[in-house]
Amino acid sequence: MTDPKLRVLIPAGRIQARIRELGEQISRDYPDGKLHMICILKGAVFFMTDLARALTIHVSLDFMGISTYGKGKTTSGEVKVTKDLDASLEGDDVLIVEDIVDSGVTLNYLFHLLEQRKPRSIRIAALLDKPERRLRPVHVTYVGFQIPDEFVVGYGLDYAERYRNLDDLCVLGGETTG
Ligand code: IMP
Ligand code: MG
């Protein structure tokens, strides 16, 4: 896709190499050999499917829909569950898989919500972290990349539902910034 508004920040090859590293680390960290992965829709879908295939342990998958952002780039600060999980988490080793931690509002809310469902353990994996933007504390055990405070799209991340299908992670600039 040639789009003058896009600038590659992390090329596909680096994303995939980092996911392989995370996969090795996570596989080592769960010696029982079982992990229940929860994908936060929709941005984390690409990361989740690649990360799951980088694991050498057994995984089960579930999906949760959350809305915080509207159609643009600014958060409403409000978290709403739009699709709940299919299965209980009781006794499971749970890994929440998210695309990006920005203000931390979403994951702070979600972590506490899912913790109440009595998992055996619960951790977070996020492909991207924008630490400068944090408003709420979140402990992310597995971080792919720390990035500066710029709006990014691609590899699952969108602007108004566009650009999710780019292989590279790109900065979206131009007239849409704001
Ligand atoms: P938080 O609650 O502010 O941490 O926001 C997390 C959610 O905001 C992510 O799951 C994304 O859907 C969205 N988001 C935050 N920053 C970006 C970005 O740079 N590009 C696309 N989506 C983003
Ligand atoms: Mg989003």
Side-chain angles (χ1 to χ4, degrees), residues 69 98-106 130 150-152 157-158:
Y69 276 37
E98 176 60 305
D99 53 0
I100 185 167
V101 199
D102 186 29
S103 69
V105 169
T106 308
K130 280 187 202 168
E150 292 187 281
F151 196 84
V152 290
L157 291 99
D158 74 304

Side-chain angles (χ1 to χ4, degrees), residues 53-107:
R53 285 176 290 181
L55 297 175
T56 54
I57 55 179
H58 293 292
V59 299
S60 48
L61 308 179
D62 207 343
F63 297 84
M64 189 161 206
I66 287 277
S67 82
T68 37
Y69 276 37
K71 281 196 287 178
K73 294 180 180 177
T74 48
T75 183
S76 61
E78 206 180 290
V79 183
K80 207 171 73 189
V81 175
T82 56
K83 183 214 170 291
D84 207 339
L85 299 171
D86 290 336
S88 139
L89 302 181
E90 203 168 333
D92 289 340
D93 288 311
V94 168
L95 184 67
I96 300 174
V97 183
E98 176 60 305
D99 53 0
I100 185 167
V101 199
D102 186 29
S103 69
V105 169
T106 308
L107 278 174

Side-chain angles (χ1 to χ4, degrees), residues 101-167:
V101 199
D102 186 29
S103 69
V105 169
T106 308
L107 278 174
N108 179 285
Y109 172 86
L110 207 64
F111 189 88
H112 292 108
L113 180 78
L114 297 184
E115 211 179 20
Q116 289 163 24
R117 299 187 185 182
K118 302 190 174 65
R120 183 164 85 156
S121 69
I122 181 163
R123 289 181 183 159
I124 297 171
L127 178 68
L128 305 167
D129 180 16
K130 280 187 202 168
E132 292 165 51
R133 301 255 308 170
R134 202 73 86 251
L135 298 173
R136 303 273 169 80
V138 179
H139 179 66
V140 185
T141 306
Y142 307 104
V143 178
F145 303 92
Q146 289 201 343
I147 61 168
D149 179 15
E150 292 187 281
F151 196 84
V152 290
V153 296
Y155 196 67
L157 291 99
D158 74 304
Y159 174 70
E161 295 299 326
R162 275 184 75 175
Y163 305 115
R164 291 195 198 275
N165 58 328
L166 302 176
D167 286 327

